[in-house]
Amino acid sequence: MPTSRPARQTALSGTHFLDGQFLVAMPGMADERFARSVIYICAHSADGAMGIIVNKAATDISMPDLLVQLDVAPEADAIRLRERVGHMPVLMGGPVEGRRGFVLHSDDFHIAQSTLIIDDGICLTATVEILRAIASGEGPANAVLALGYAGWQAGQLESEIMANGWLNCQADPSLIFNADLESKYERTLRGNGIDPAMLSASVGRA
């Protein structure tokens, strides 16, 4: 995984590459797995796209329990972990590689050859080293763990946007790390000047 990204390219099938932006599922989203989803796009190029759903919780798992299950921290540290990382939600990041962990985090933490710098001080790291750092209290100031990711093949995301499946808009870094998952969908829309009550399946891209 690269440690930096090239300058944003200007056009792909008439659209900008969207890394560092939010995708918001439109009311007409046919795939129930993505209904009312807010996805942070981590990588987008002519070869396809990858992103993390940031407003849906993984079921029946907490961050302290996950760290113990992955042998990142001993079970004896469970109480300490609840105090340190109990507030950190575990997200259902997407349907691809659902057992693999991806950490979106602030740019005050970096692992050479493993951390992808995305945009606006947001990074992605997918190694166990960052989980160990989080467990020990030496990780990034802001972080969220996602299990799995959303992926698109070349041209697929562009086609879905043109078909009004998604609305792309500016990402708010503070929303990525906010633990109030239920409100993220409407807050993302309102933050981009869109009234959720007025949104319909016929609305185009922002």
Short mmCIF file of all heavy atoms in Angstrom, two decimals, residues 142-197:
data_model
loop_
_atom_site.label_atom_id
_atom_site.label_comp_id
_atom_site.label_asym_id
_atom_site.label_seq_id
_atom_site.Cartn_x
_atom_site.Cartn_y
_atom_site.Cartn_z
N ASN A 142 -7.39 10.26 16.47
CA ASN A 142 -8.73 9.91 15.99
C ASN A 142 -8.64 8.69 15.10
O ASN A 142 -7.80 8.64 14.19
CB ASN A 142 -9.35 11.08 15.21
CG ASN A 142 -9.59 12.29 16.08
OD1 ASN A 142 -10.34 12.24 17.04
ND2 ASN A 142 -8.94 13.39 15.74
N ALA A 143 -9.51 7.73 15.34
CA ALA A 143 -9.47 6.51 14.52
C ALA A 143 -10.81 5.80 14.60
O ALA A 143 -11.56 5.93 15.58
CB ALA A 143 -8.36 5.57 15.01
N VAL A 144 -11.10 5.06 13.57
CA VAL A 144 -12.27 4.20 13.55
C VAL A 144 -11.89 2.93 12.80
O VAL A 144 -11.19 2.98 11.78
CB VAL A 144 -13.48 4.90 12.91
CG1 VAL A 144 -13.23 5.24 11.45
CG2 VAL A 144 -14.75 4.08 13.08
N LEU A 145 -12.32 1.79 13.31
CA LEU A 145 -12.01 0.50 12.70
C LEU A 145 -13.20 0.00 11.90
O LEU A 145 -14.33 0.01 12.38
CB LEU A 145 -11.65 -0.52 13.77
CG LEU A 145 -11.46 -1.97 13.29
CD1 LEU A 145 -10.24 -2.09 12.38
CD2 LEU A 145 -11.34 -2.93 14.48
N ALA A 146 -12.94 -0.41 10.68
CA ALA A 146 -13.99 -0.97 9.82
C ALA A 146 -13.62 -2.39 9.44
O ALA A 146 -12.45 -2.68 9.15
CB ALA A 146 -14.17 -0.12 8.57
N LEU A 147 -14.61 -3.27 9.43
CA LEU A 147 -14.42 -4.63 8.95
C LEU A 147 -14.96 -4.71 7.53
O LEU A 147 -16.14 -4.50 7.29
CB LEU A 147 -15.16 -5.62 9.86
CG LEU A 147 -14.69 -5.66 11.32
CD1 LEU A 147 -15.53 -6.65 12.13
CD2 LEU A 147 -13.22 -6.04 11.41
N GLY A 148 -14.06 -4.97 6.58
CA GLY A 148 -14.44 -5.03 5.18
C GLY A 148 -14.45 -3.66 4.53
O GLY A 148 -14.25 -2.63 5.17
N TYR A 149 -14.69 -3.67 3.22
CA TYR A 149 -14.74 -2.42 2.47
C TYR A 149 -15.68 -2.56 1.28
O TYR A 149 -16.13 -3.65 0.94
CB TYR A 149 -13.34 -2.02 2.00
CG TYR A 149 -12.71 -2.94 0.97
CD1 TYR A 149 -12.85 -2.70 -0.41
CD2 TYR A 149 -11.97 -4.05 1.35
CE1 TYR A 149 -12.28 -3.53 -1.35
CE2 TYR A 149 -11.39 -4.90 0.41
CZ TYR A 149 -11.55 -4.63 -0.92
OH TYR A 149 -10.99 -5.47 -1.87
N ALA A 150 -15.98 -1.43 0.66
CA ALA A 150 -16.78 -1.40 -0.56
C ALA A 150 -15.84 -1.22 -1.74
O ALA A 150 -14.94 -0.38 -1.70
CB ALA A 150 -17.80 -0.26 -0.52
N GLY A 151 -16.02 -2.01 -2.78
CA GLY A 151 -15.13 -1.93 -3.93
C GLY A 151 -15.90 -1.88 -5.24
O GLY A 151 -17.00 -2.42 -5.36
N TRP A 152 -15.30 -1.20 -6.22
CA TRP A 152 -15.90 -1.08 -7.55
C TRP A 152 -14.85 -1.39 -8.61
O TRP A 152 -13.69 -0.96 -8.48
CB TRP A 152 -16.42 0.34 -7.79
CG TRP A 152 -17.58 0.75 -6.94
CD1 TRP A 152 -18.90 0.68 -7.25
CD2 TRP A 152 -17.51 1.33 -5.63
NE1 TRP A 152 -19.66 1.18 -6.22
CE2 TRP A 152 -18.84 1.57 -5.21
CE3 TRP A 152 -16.45 1.66 -4.77
CZ2 TRP A 152 -19.13 2.14 -3.97
CZ3 TRP A 152 -16.75 2.21 -3.53
CH2 TRP A 152 -18.07 2.45 -3.15
N GLN A 153 -15.23 -2.07 -9.65
CA GLN A 153 -14.34 -2.33 -10.77
C GLN A 153 -14.25 -1.09 -11.65
O GLN A 153 -14.98 -0.11 -11.46
CB GLN A 153 -14.85 -3.53 -11.57
CG GLN A 153 -14.88 -4.83 -10.80
CD GLN A 153 -15.44 -5.97 -11.60
OE1 GLN A 153 -16.00 -5.78 -12.69
NE2 GLN A 153 -15.30 -7.19 -11.08
N ALA A 154 -13.34 -1.13 -12.60
CA ALA A 154 -13.14 0.01 -13.50
C ALA A 154 -14.45 0.45 -14.14
O ALA A 154 -15.17 -0.37 -14.72
CB ALA A 154 -12.12 -0.35 -14.58
N GLY A 155 -14.79 1.72 -13.99
CA GLY A 155 -15.99 2.29 -14.60
C GLY A 155 -17.28 2.01 -13.86
O GLY A 155 -18.31 2.64 -14.16
N GLN A 156 -17.27 1.10 -12.88
CA GLN A 156 -18.52 0.72 -12.21
C GLN A 156 -19.09 1.85 -11.37
O GLN A 156 -20.29 2.14 -11.43
CB GLN A 156 -18.28 -0.51 -11.34
CG GLN A 156 -19.55 -1.02 -10.64
CD GLN A 156 -19.27 -2.23 -9.75
OE1 GLN A 156 -18.12 -2.69 -9.64
NE2 GLN A 156 -20.30 -2.73 -9.12
N LEU A 157 -18.24 2.50 -10.58
CA LEU A 157 -18.74 3.58 -9.73
C LEU A 157 -19.27 4.73 -10.57
O LEU A 157 -20.33 5.30 -10.27
CB LEU A 157 -17.62 4.07 -8.80
CG LEU A 157 -17.98 5.24 -7.88
CD1 LEU A 157 -19.19 4.91 -7.02
CD2 LEU A 157 -16.78 5.62 -7.02
N GLU A 158 -18.56 5.07 -11.63
CA GLU A 158 -19.03 6.15 -12.50
C GLU A 158 -20.41 5.84 -13.07
O GLU A 158 -21.29 6.72 -13.14
CB GLU A 158 -18.03 6.37 -13.64
CG GLU A 158 -16.70 6.96 -13.21
CD GLU A 158 -15.78 5.93 -12.56
OE1 GLU A 158 -16.00 4.71 -12.71
OE2 GLU A 158 -14.82 6.35 -11.90
N SER A 159 -20.62 4.59 -13.45
CA SER A 159 -21.93 4.19 -14.00
C SER A 159 -23.01 4.29 -12.94
O SER A 159 -24.13 4.74 -13.23
CB SER A 159 -21.85 2.74 -14.53
OG SER A 159 -20.97 2.65 -15.63
N GLU A 160 -22.70 3.89 -11.71
CA GLU A 160 -23.70 3.95 -10.64
C GLU A 160 -24.05 5.40 -10.29
O GLU A 160 -25.21 5.71 -9.99
CB GLU A 160 -23.18 3.22 -9.41
CG GLU A 160 -23.07 1.71 -9.61
CD GLU A 160 -22.54 0.99 -8.38
OE1 GLU A 160 -22.38 1.64 -7.32
OE2 GLU A 160 -22.28 -0.23 -8.47
N ILE A 161 -23.06 6.29 -10.34
CA ILE A 161 -23.34 7.71 -10.08
C ILE A 161 -24.20 8.29 -11.19
O ILE A 161 -25.18 9.02 -10.93
CB ILE A 161 -22.02 8.49 -9.95
CG1 ILE A 161 -21.28 8.08 -8.67
CG2 ILE A 161 -22.29 10.00 -9.94
CD1 ILE A 161 -19.90 8.70 -8.52
N MET A 162 -23.89 7.96 -12.44
CA MET A 162 -24.68 8.46 -13.56
C MET A 162 -26.11 7.95 -13.52
O MET A 162 -27.04 8.60 -13.99
CB MET A 162 -24.02 8.07 -14.88
CG MET A 162 -22.68 8.77 -15.14
SD MET A 162 -22.84 10.57 -15.25
CE MET A 162 -23.79 10.71 -16.78
N ALA A 163 -26.30 6.77 -12.92
CA ALA A 163 -27.64 6.19 -12.79
C ALA A 163 -28.34 6.65 -11.52
O ALA A 163 -29.40 6.11 -11.16
CB ALA A 163 -27.54 4.67 -12.80
N ASN A 164 -27.79 7.68 -10.86
CA ASN A 164 -28.36 8.26 -9.65
C ASN A 164 -28.42 7.29 -8.47
O ASN A 164 -29.28 7.40 -7.61
CB ASN A 164 -29.76 8.83 -9.92
CG ASN A 164 -29.73 10.05 -10.81
OD1 ASN A 164 -28.81 10.87 -10.71
ND2 ASN A 164 -30.70 10.16 -11.70
N GLY A 165 -27.46 6.35 -8.43
CA GLY A 165 -27.38 5.48 -7.26
C GLY A 165 -26.66 6.17 -6.11
O GLY A 165 -26.94 5.88 -4.94
N TRP A 166 -25.75 7.08 -6.44
CA TRP A 166 -24.94 7.76 -5.44
C TRP A 166 -24.89 9.26 -5.70
O TRP A 166 -24.95 9.69 -6.85
CB TRP A 166 -23.50 7.25 -5.43
CG TRP A 166 -23.33 5.80 -5.17
CD1 TRP A 166 -23.13 4.81 -6.09
CD2 TRP A 166 -23.35 5.16 -3.90
NE1 TRP A 166 -23.01 3.60 -5.46
CE2 TRP A 166 -23.13 3.77 -4.12
CE3 TRP A 166 -23.51 5.62 -2.58
CZ2 TRP A 166 -23.09 2.85 -3.07
CZ3 TRP A 166 -23.46 4.70 -1.54
CH2 TRP A 166 -23.25 3.34 -1.80
N LEU A 167 -24.74 10.00 -4.63
CA LEU A 167 -24.44 11.42 -4.71
C LEU A 167 -23.06 11.60 -4.09
O LEU A 167 -22.80 11.12 -2.99
CB LEU A 167 -25.49 12.22 -3.94
CG LEU A 167 -25.35 13.73 -3.88
CD1 LEU A 167 -26.75 14.35 -3.84
CD2 LEU A 167 -24.57 14.17 -2.63
N ASN A 168 -22.13 12.25 -4.81
CA ASN A 168 -20.82 12.49 -4.24
C ASN A 168 -20.72 13.92 -3.76
O ASN A 168 -21.24 14.84 -4.39
CB ASN A 168 -19.71 12.17 -5.24
CG ASN A 168 -19.72 13.06 -6.46
OD1 ASN A 168 -20.52 12.84 -7.36
ND2 ASN A 168 -18.83 14.05 -6.51
N CYS A 169 -20.08 14.12 -2.61
CA CYS A 169 -20.02 15.44 -2.01
C CYS A 169 -18.78 15.55 -1.13
O CYS A 169 -18.09 14.57 -0.87
CB CYS A 169 -21.28 15.72 -1.19
SG CYS A 169 -21.58 14.54 0.14
N GLN A 170 -18.52 16.74 -0.68
CA GLN A 170 -17.36 17.00 0.16
C GLN A 170 -17.45 16.21 1.45
O GLN A 170 -18.50 16.13 2.08
CB GLN A 170 -17.25 18.50 0.47
CG GLN A 170 -16.05 18.90 1.31
CD GLN A 170 -15.99 20.40 1.51
OE1 GLN A 170 -16.78 21.15 0.93
NE2 GLN A 170 -15.06 20.84 2.34
N ALA A 171 -16.33 15.65 1.88
CA ALA A 171 -16.29 14.89 3.13
C ALA A 171 -15.98 15.81 4.30
O ALA A 171 -15.17 16.73 4.19
CB ALA A 171 -15.23 13.79 3.04
N ASP A 172 -16.64 15.55 5.42
CA ASP A 172 -16.37 16.26 6.66
C ASP A 172 -15.56 15.32 7.55
O ASP A 172 -16.09 14.32 8.05
CB ASP A 172 -17.69 16.62 7.34
CG ASP A 172 -17.49 17.36 8.66
OD1 ASP A 172 -16.34 17.42 9.15
OD2 ASP A 172 -18.49 17.85 9.21
N PRO A 173 -14.25 15.59 7.75
CA PRO A 173 -13.43 14.67 8.54
C PRO A 173 -13.99 14.38 9.92
O PRO A 173 -13.85 13.26 10.43
CB PRO A 173 -12.08 15.40 8.61
CG PRO A 173 -12.04 16.24 7.38
CD PRO A 173 -13.46 16.69 7.18
N SER A 174 -14.63 15.38 10.55
CA SER A 174 -15.16 15.16 11.90
C SER A 174 -16.27 14.12 11.91
O SER A 174 -16.46 13.40 12.90
CB SER A 174 -15.66 16.48 12.49
OG SER A 174 -16.81 16.96 11.79
N LEU A 175 -17.02 14.01 10.81
CA LEU A 175 -18.08 13.01 10.74
C LEU A 175 -17.53 11.60 10.61
O LEU A 175 -18.17 10.64 11.06
CB LEU A 175 -19.02 13.30 9.57
CG LEU A 175 -20.05 14.41 9.77
CD1 LEU A 175 -20.90 14.56 8.52
CD2 LEU A 175 -20.94 14.13 10.98
N ILE A 176 -16.36 11.45 10.02
CA ILE A 176 -15.78 10.12 9.86
C ILE A 176 -15.58 9.46 11.21
O ILE A 176 -15.88 8.28 11.40
CB ILE A 176 -14.43 10.21 9.11
CG1 ILE A 176 -14.67 10.69 7.67
CG2 ILE A 176 -13.73 8.85 9.11
CD1 ILE A 176 -13.39 10.96 6.92
N PHE A 177 -15.12 10.24 12.20
CA PHE A 177 -14.77 9.69 13.50
C PHE A 177 -15.88 9.83 14.53
O PHE A 177 -15.72 9.37 15.66
CB PHE A 177 -13.50 10.36 14.01
CG PHE A 177 -12.34 10.26 13.05
CD1 PHE A 177 -11.79 11.40 12.47
CD2 PHE A 177 -11.82 9.03 12.69
CE1 PHE A 177 -10.74 11.31 11.57
CE2 PHE A 177 -10.77 8.93 11.78
CZ PHE A 177 -10.23 10.07 11.23
N ASN A 178 -16.99 10.46 14.17
CA ASN A 178 -18.08 10.65 15.11
C ASN A 178 -18.76 9.33 15.43
O ASN A 178 -19.06 8.55 14.54
CB ASN A 178 -19.09 11.64 14.53
CG ASN A 178 -20.07 12.14 15.55
OD1 ASN A 178 -20.93 11.41 16.03
ND2 ASN A 178 -19.95 13.41 15.90
N ALA A 179 -18.99 9.08 16.71
CA ALA A 179 -19.57 7.80 17.14
C ALA A 179 -21.08 7.75 16.96
O ALA A 179 -21.67 6.67 17.09
CB ALA A 179 -19.21 7.54 18.61
N ASP A 180 -21.73 8.88 16.66
CA ASP A 180 -23.17 8.89 16.44
C ASP A 180 -23.46 8.47 15.01
O ASP A 180 -23.68 9.29 14.13
CB ASP A 180 -23.72 10.30 16.73
CG ASP A 180 -25.24 10.36 16.61
OD1 ASP A 180 -25.87 9.30 16.41
OD2 ASP A 180 -25.79 11.48 16.71
N LEU A 181 -23.48 7.15 14.80
CA LEU A 181 -23.63 6.63 13.44
C LEU A 181 -25.00 6.92 12.85
O LEU A 181 -25.12 7.15 11.64
CB LEU A 181 -23.37 5.11 13.44
CG LEU A 181 -22.03 4.64 14.01
CD1 LEU A 181 -21.91 3.13 13.86
CD2 LEU A 181 -20.86 5.34 13.35
N GLU A 182 -26.03 6.91 13.68
CA GLU A 182 -27.40 7.05 13.18
C GLU A 182 -27.62 8.39 12.48
O GLU A 182 -28.43 8.48 11.55
CB GLU A 182 -28.39 6.89 14.33
CG GLU A 182 -28.45 5.49 14.92
CD GLU A 182 -29.00 4.47 13.94
OE1 GLU A 182 -29.87 4.84 13.13
OE2 GLU A 182 -28.56 3.32 13.98
N SER A 183 -26.93 9.43 12.92
CA SER A 183 -27.20 10.76 12.38
C SER A 183 -26.32 11.12 11.18
O SER A 183 -26.51 12.17 10.57
CB SER A 183 -27.01 11.82 13.48
OG SER A 183 -25.64 11.96 13.80
N LYS A 184 -25.34 10.29 10.85
CA LYS A 184 -24.35 10.67 9.84
C LYS A 184 -24.97 10.89 8.46
O LYS A 184 -24.54 11.76 7.71
CB LYS A 184 -23.24 9.63 9.75
CG LYS A 184 -22.22 9.71 10.87
CD LYS A 184 -21.07 8.75 10.63
CE LYS A 184 -20.06 8.81 11.76
NZ LYS A 184 -18.93 7.90 11.53
N TYR A 185 -25.95 10.08 8.10
CA TYR A 185 -26.55 10.20 6.77
C TYR A 185 -27.16 11.59 6.58
O TYR A 185 -26.84 12.31 5.63
CB TYR A 185 -27.60 9.11 6.57
CG TYR A 185 -28.21 9.06 5.20
CD1 TYR A 185 -27.55 8.46 4.13
CD2 TYR A 185 -29.47 9.61 4.95
CE1 TYR A 185 -28.12 8.41 2.87
CE2 TYR A 185 -30.05 9.56 3.69
CZ TYR A 185 -29.37 8.95 2.66
OH TYR A 185 -29.94 8.91 1.41
N GLU A 186 -28.03 11.99 7.52
CA GLU A 186 -28.69 13.28 7.39
C GLU A 186 -27.71 14.42 7.62
O GLU A 186 -27.79 15.45 6.93
CB GLU A 186 -29.86 13.38 8.37
CG GLU A 186 -31.02 12.46 8.00
CD GLU A 186 -32.30 12.81 8.74
OE1 GLU A 186 -32.26 13.74 9.58
OE2 GLU A 186 -33.32 12.15 8.49
N ARG A 187 -26.77 14.26 8.53
CA ARG A 187 -25.81 15.33 8.78
C ARG A 187 -24.90 15.56 7.57
O ARG A 187 -24.52 16.70 7.28
CB ARG A 187 -24.98 15.00 10.02
CG ARG A 187 -25.77 15.11 11.32
CD ARG A 187 -24.97 14.58 12.50
NE ARG A 187 -23.79 15.39 12.77
CZ ARG A 187 -22.84 15.05 13.63
NH1 ARG A 187 -22.92 13.89 14.28
NH2 ARG A 187 -21.81 15.84 13.85
N THR A 188 -24.55 14.49 6.87
CA THR A 188 -23.74 14.64 5.67
C THR A 188 -24.50 15.42 4.61
O THR A 188 -23.96 16.33 3.97
CB THR A 188 -23.33 13.26 5.12
OG1 THR A 188 -22.53 12.59 6.09
CG2 THR A 188 -22.53 13.41 3.83
N LEU A 189 -25.76 15.08 4.41
CA LEU A 189 -26.57 15.79 3.42
C LEU A 189 -26.74 17.26 3.80
O LEU A 189 -26.52 18.16 2.98
CB LEU A 189 -27.93 15.11 3.28
CG LEU A 189 -27.93 13.72 2.63
CD1 LEU A 189 -29.32 13.10 2.71
CD2 LEU A 189 -27.46 13.79 1.19
N ARG A 190 -27.11 17.51 5.05
CA ARG A 190 -27.35 18.89 5.48
C ARG A 190 -26.06 19.70 5.43
O ARG A 190 -26.07 20.90 5.10
CB ARG A 190 -27.93 18.91 6.88
CG ARG A 190 -29.35 18.34 6.96
CD ARG A 190 -29.98 18.54 8.32
NE ARG A 190 -31.27 17.89 8.42
CZ ARG A 190 -32.41 18.37 7.92
NH1 ARG A 190 -32.40 19.54 7.29
NH2 ARG A 190 -33.54 17.71 8.06
N GLY A 191 -24.93 19.06 5.73
CA GLY A 191 -23.65 19.76 5.67
C GLY A 191 -23.27 20.18 4.28
O GLY A 191 -22.42 21.05 4.10
N ASN A 192 -23.90 19.57 3.28
CA ASN A 192 -23.66 19.94 1.88
C ASN A 192 -24.85 20.67 1.28
O ASN A 192 -25.01 20.72 0.06
CB ASN A 192 -23.33 18.68 1.07
CG ASN A 192 -21.93 18.19 1.32
OD1 ASN A 192 -20.98 18.65 0.71
ND2 ASN A 192 -21.79 17.25 2.26
N GLY A 193 -25.68 21.23 2.16
CA GLY A 193 -26.79 22.08 1.71
C GLY A 193 -27.96 21.33 1.13
O GLY A 193 -28.74 21.91 0.36
N ILE A 194 -28.14 20.06 1.50
CA ILE A 194 -29.22 19.25 0.95
C ILE A 194 -30.20 18.89 2.05
O ILE A 194 -29.81 18.36 3.10
CB ILE A 194 -28.67 17.96 0.30
CG1 ILE A 194 -27.69 18.31 -0.82
CG2 ILE A 194 -29.81 17.09 -0.23
CD1 ILE A 194 -26.89 17.14 -1.32
N ASP A 195 -31.46 19.17 1.85
CA ASP A 195 -32.50 18.80 2.80
C ASP A 195 -32.88 17.34 2.55
O ASP A 195 -33.40 17.02 1.47
CB ASP A 195 -33.72 19.70 2.62
CG ASP A 195 -34.82 19.40 3.63
OD1 ASP A 195 -34.73 18.38 4.36
OD2 ASP A 195 -35.79 20.18 3.68
N PRO A 196 -32.65 16.44 3.51
CA PRO A 196 -32.96 15.02 3.27
C PRO A 196 -34.42 14.79 2.89
O PRO A 196 -34.72 13.87 2.12
CB PRO A 196 -32.65 14.36 4.63
CG PRO A 196 -31.63 15.27 5.25
CD PRO A 196 -32.02 16.65 4.82
N ALA A 197 -35.32 15.62 3.38
CA ALA A 197 -36.73 15.45 3.06
C ALA A 197 -37.04 15.74 1.60
O ALA A 197 -38.04 15.26 1.06
CB ALA A 197 -37.58 16.37 3.95
#
